[in-house]
Amino acid sequence: LFKEHLTIGSDDNQTLTNTNLSQYDNSVSADADVFHEVNATDDLTVDSTAFSTQEELYVKTGNTFQPASAGGADVTTTHVELVGTWTADANAINTSGNWVNSGTFTANTSTVTLNGAAAQAVTTNAQSFNAVTVNNTGADGTTDDVTISGALDVNGAFLMTNGDLKLDTNDPNVTTAGDLTIGSSAFVTKADNGTATWTFDGTGTSTWTDSVS
């Protein structure tokens, strides 16, 4: 057991869904130590009791988390640590902390939203996302940084409404295939002498909008 963690998986190497997690969540168990909750629409909140500000969704090696293959079944957490496999399908994933991937993330048509109020770090393991939204509301400076480690590949819409996408720290390559929107409260910081590239590899028409003055 890990403190402040919702661990997905077992030694049986299972595939688990939000519906599986609902069988023993906070409301079913009536146990304050079981802090995750799956609501009537199959959405998972990892810390439904607001017990922690550092809770983590942890997917064990050899196991697969597939919230719902038909879509819906959203997931909200502070941190994500992926050592096993996450098959995301058409789910919305909201994380206000760090995203650490050393396993396998299959994005399909999902949307990942980085909506912290303090600095966030994303380790991609060079695996692609579908749609990504950056909406970090921390104060301008270091507390709204979203620092990328590993190549960032976004195959769907890439929307930055707030925060600073930090590419100068690790100088990752960025690839986008869909619409790119940088709002007036969002910034992209690249390395002054970096060698990384930003590649637009979509096959259809896409729009790049930069509202930063």
Side-chain angles (χ1 to χ4, degrees):
L1 294 176
F2 297 100
K3 184 178 180 181
E4 300 178 340
H5 283 56
L6 172 61
T7 300
I8 306 294
S10 71
D11 292 337
D12 298 327
N13 297 337
Q14 298 186 20
T15 296
L16 296 174
T17 67
N18 281 8
T19 299
N20 295 140
L21 296 174
S22 73
Q23 302 305 304
Y24 197 74
D25 61 10
N26 179 263
S27 60
V28 171
S29 68
D31 185 343
D33 290 332
V34 179
F35 52 70
H36 76 276
E37 182 70 24
V38 179
N39 67 15
T41 57
D42 209 27
D43 297 333
L44 168 65
T45 301
V46 172
D47 183 14
S48 65
T49 64
F51 168 78
S52 172
T53 59
Q54 294 297 320
E55 82 277 0
E56 178 173 291
L57 177 65
Y58 178 83
V59 183
K60 289 183 63 176
T61 185
N63 291 265
T64 298
F65 179 42
Q66 186 171 19
S69 59
D74 301 338
V75 177
T76 299
T77 184
T78 297
H79 301 299
V80 169
E81 185 172 356
L82 177 57
V83 182
T85 298
W86 187 332
T87 302
D89 298 305
N91 317 118
I93 304 163
N94 305 294
T95 176
S96 57
N98 299 329
W99 176 285
V100 179
N101 178 10
S102 61
T104 301
F105 179 69
T106 304
N108 290 313
T109 57
S110 63
T111 299
V112 174
T113 299
L114 304 166
N115 57 356
Q120 297 179 258
V122 176
T123 301
T124 69
N125 201 21
Q127 294 174 8
S128 63
F129 295 93
N130 179 50
V132 172
T133 296
V134 175
N135 185 32
N136 187 296
T137 58
D140 289 347
T142 59
T143 59
D144 67 343
D145 290 350
V146 178
T147 302
I148 306 299
S149 178
L152 177 62
D153 186 0
V154 182
N155 289 323
F158 191 5
L159 172 63
M160 287 177 270
T161 57
N162 208 333
D164 185 355
L165 185 71
K166 292 278 287 180
L167 305 178
D168 57 338
T169 303
N170 299 306
D171 199 26
N173 291 325
V174 179
T175 305
T176 52
D179 293 343
L180 170 64
T181 304
I182 304 173
S184 59
S185 296
F187 303 90
V188 177
T189 303
K190 296 194 69 178
D192 290 338
N193 298 307
T195 60
T197 59
W198 191 310
T199 303
F200 298 87
D201 68 345
T203 57
T205 301
S206 57
T207 303
W208 177 11
T209 304
D210 187 351
S211 299
V212 178
S213 59

